[in-house]
């Protein structure tokens, strides 16, 4: 039984490694932890396109906030 669990864990790790490589090739900017969270959300039934839209919007908001902070600290 431990062997089956070990085999399954190796398969999961290998799958995540492949997904991370694809993510890097597509320049998503997701690290392993973020990618794992996205995969788990999709497995729970979250729409991948909606998840992608939320991530893009959060990045835009973060960039805007950083730009705003930079302009106020320089001026």
């Amino acid at each position: 039984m431990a062997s089956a669990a070990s085999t399954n864990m190796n398969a999961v790790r290998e799958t995540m490694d492949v997904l991370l490589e694809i993510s890097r090739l597509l320049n998503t900017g997701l690290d392993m932890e973020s990618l794992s969270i996205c995969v788990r959300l999709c497995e729970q039934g979250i729409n991948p396109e909606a998840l992608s839209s939320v991530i893009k919007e959060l990045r835009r908001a973060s960039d805007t906030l950083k730009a705003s902070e930079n302009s106020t600290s320089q001026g």
Side-chain angles (χ1 to χ4, degrees), residues 14-42:
E14 186 176 325
T15 299
M16 286 307 300
D17 287 343
V18 169
L19 287 174
L20 184 60
E21 185 60 29
I22 292 169
S23 174
R24 287 182 179 144
L25 290 170
L26 295 173
N27 296 317
T28 65
L30 296 174
D31 59 12
M32 181 61 92
E33 182 180 7
S34 300
L35 184 61
S36 295
I37 291 168
C38 290
V39 168
R40 280 184 262 148
L41 286 169
C42 290

Side-chain angles (χ1 to χ4, degrees), residues 7 15 18 24 31 37 40 43 50 52-54 62 64-66 73 75:
T7 300
T15 299
V18 169
R24 287 182 179 144
D31 59 12
I37 291 168
R40 280 184 262 148
E43 287 174 343
S52 172
S53 294
V54 168
S62 176
T64 301
L65 182 59
K66 287 177 187 174
S73 67

Side-chain angles (χ1 to χ4, degrees), residues 57-71:
E57 184 59 33
L58 288 171
R59 285 187 177 159
R60 277 192 289 272
S62 176
D63 291 344
T64 301
L65 182 59
K66 287 177 187 174
S68 172
E69 288 174 352
N70 286 341
S71 67

